[in-house]
Amino acid sequence: MTPLRPILRSLLSSTVVGGLVVLPFVLLAAGLRSAPADDAAGTKPPAPAAPAPVAHGWLAWRGPDQNGASTETGLPDECTLAGPNLRWSYELAGRGAPVLANGKLYVLGYRGDGPDLQELLVCLDAKTGKLLWEHGSSDFLSDTVYNRYAIGAPTVDAETANVYYLTAPGLFHCRTADGKLLWRHSLMEEFGRITFPNGRIGSPVVDGDLVMVHAVTSNWGKEGPARDRLYAFEKRTGELVWSTTPGTAPLDNSFATPVVGWWRGRRVLYVGTGCGHMAAIDARTGVPLWRFPFTKGGVNASALLYKDDTLIAIHGKENVDTSESGRMAAIRIPAEVKKTTPDEPMVLDRSSELWRNSLSSFSSSPVLVGDRVYVTVETGSLLCVDAGSGRTLWEHKLGPEQIHASPLAADGKLYVPINEGTFFVLRPGEKGTEVLSTERLPGNCLGSPTVWNGRIYVHTTEKLFCFGLPGDRPEPAAAGPVSPAAAAAAPGPLAFLLPVPADLVLKPGEKAALRLLGVDANGARVPLPAGAVPQWRKFVPATAKVRSEMNAEFDAEGRLSAAPDARLSAGSWEATIGEVKGTMRGRVLPRPPFREEFESYPLAVKHEQETGVMFAYPPLPWIGARFKWEIRERDGSRVLAKTLDNDLFQRSFTFLGPSDLSNYTVEADVMSDGTRRTMSVVGVINQRYVVALIGNAQELEVNSNYDRLKVAVPFAWKASAWYRLKARVDVAADGSGVVRGKAWPRGEPEPAAWTLEVPHKRAHASGSPGLFGFSPQNRVRVYVDNVSVTANE
């Protein structure tokens, strides 16, 4: 969570997520309002009109009620390949769910193999299956294996019809309905998003003016520790509005989609986390409200809101209070939030459980129809559970196992894909279910079905299928307003400020302006005082381990400005209007050429695990450096040393500059401890490629993702000896490129020829320079020194 806004200490003992700052100074008035708190007078002013939707359809994979259920009727009882209801199929590998808006279907998929595999957002005509457009991107630096791509879904904004989606390495896109790119963030390079071999990416959530994503990140500064976090961006501009850390150290990643609801005047997100909690977060500000310890693993299934005061959730990992795995539970949403410290959410105990049972589902999400919960568990059975008591009413075996796919409820039926590829149509009753249709589809089914306008869509690892009754039907009527304005209450007084964007990067010589949002105690937007001019000061949080200031100033026009000679730096700022405050943070990242020798860092921190060892923290502005690297003394110099005390950080990607850099060369001195038989891996990152020395294999390697692009040549190198490593990427006008690397003993002349040259048909056009270290099982340390980044000649 970014720095605290002190004003919140008097507001419900909450903390608000601040951020990193920058951009033209504008005071924003009004905006989204909160749902009503209890009205002492018994009345409330007329609610403002919410904007009419531009897009209507099945806009998010869980549907308009966020529970996997639809009110549509007239849907097919039979969904078979040889039957009359197959409308069309489209060849595209995928593992997620499509969404629909205004007659267009949007779906994630992938095509190709090896280094040329592309993750795709595909837009089809929903009626005919005809391709309208598609956009692809290559994987880079992710841990994704076995083609585990497209495990998620796009989301369409009802107000703008814009489409939001993520890719495996964390590219977060916003496109128009016609496919035009409006903005994009590289969550890995900008926020330190950590990837996992399972490839799960999940689905963004749009609520009001915000679009939110869920990820485990290791960022910079206070967000340096790896934690499960949520990030909220302004949906039109892509500016970061808030980030939040609702839990503790992650045990796994989580791609659970947050559920949004109203609670006592607040718009609240409910989400399962990688640290095994169910968490509640203020959706407008990122303030963490409460968390409920649920499991010793990640929570990946999305939860259900039941009767506004109950959250029904399920997991498939070990329980926190028993050695058994798996649990479904109903959690009572607390009537009020009482915090013991302002920095942490309230922790609920078992008394908040209304009921529990022993069902186990790792990532298949339950569906709610009235008072009945339908869920497919990991052993391949479909169960019907009473939502009020948690009692299992019946169970029906469908297949050998279930992984990600969730049921869809519509027209009194359940449409259920099973992992092996079998697609069922079922009619559930009070004592069991009738099987209406069974079909073995080609490929595996890992995505959930979608319904709209009389059609059922289901995606496998080979094709996307559309089923529906013969004949056309009119498009269903548009849903109601984009935001439930009828529930909005009158806003309260101004309580704190949200600077936007909350995280900023400036290069030397750049200026950026800033918007301030006024927010009341419930997170609703409120006007700022007329004519108010904020006062800015550099702000160092009391808990900061590195007391640092951003090498920039606000100019007379209210813009944050970095001088042409501004140095690498990072820090927070505090804005004040009257007694109301808000904080943000920002970084200055130099353009090439730049160099880091680490000699200016005093070794003043006592090591907690190694007696007598003194170290310094790595450069604060670097993404993903904290807790992965330390500055230590070695061979008479101060060098960067890989840490060995956290299994999550055995592999370390650290980014030194902006993600839009290109056409540069990275060099560094590198070394591994160990013996002839046991060494680690150390390298540099150039434009999303790793060029590394592989210790045990005695190789020089270029890779971007091990399953996509990995080329190595023999290179003999010794433990405890320094080598100079150099990497360069050249991209041609046609998009192809060549990755070049060389290594030689430090102190010897640089060889004229490159040791390794690797062509890539679809080369990465840009990317942050960085460092890479891998210490398997945290046994052998690696070191880096004398890092330089220069523009290509």
Side-chain angles (χ1 to χ4, degrees), residues 764-777:
H764 306 312
S766 63
S768 172
L771 305 174
F772 176 73
F774 178 29
S775 298
Q777 299 177 333

Side-chain angles (χ1 to χ4, degrees), residues 367-388:
V367 169
L368 180 66
V369 181
D371 293 324
R372 297 292 179 260
V373 176
Y374 299 100
V375 63
T376 48
V377 295
E378 58 191 22
T379 56
S381 290
L382 171 71
L383 291 97
C384 176
V385 176
D386 179 76

Side-chain angles (χ1 to χ4, degrees), residues 553-582:
E553 301 292 341
F554 279 92
D555 64 18
E557 297 177 356
R559 297 174 299 182
L560 192 59
S561 175
D565 61 350
R567 67 183 184 279
L568 176 73
S569 59
S572 297
W573 295 82
E574 183 181 74
T576 304
I577 295 178
E579 299 297 320
V580 181
K581 302 179 186 295

Side-chain angles (χ1 to χ4, degrees), residues 20 111 138 169 193 195 238 242 276 347 420 460 490 492 518 615 617-618 673 720 752 762 776:
L20 335 207
R111 185 182 299 123
S138 299
R193 178 180 180 267
T195 67
W242 55 255
V347 179
E420 64 173 4
T460 77
F615 72 97
Y617 292 106
D673 281 342
S720 302
R762 291 188 172 99

Side-chain angles (χ1 to χ4, degrees), residues 1-5 15-20 219-220 222-223 229 231 240-245 285 502-503 539 541 572 583-585:
M1 196 169 62
T2 48
L4 293 177
R5 296 181 174 83
T15 62
V16 79
V17 186
L20 335 207
N219 200 347
W220 69 273
K222 192 172 183 178
E223 290 190 358
R229 295 186 172 94
Y231 293 83
L240 184 68
V241 177
W242 55 255
S243 63
T244 188
T245 308
T285 64
D503 194 333
F539 173 75
S572 297
T583 58
M584 64 201 188
R585 46 182 216 166

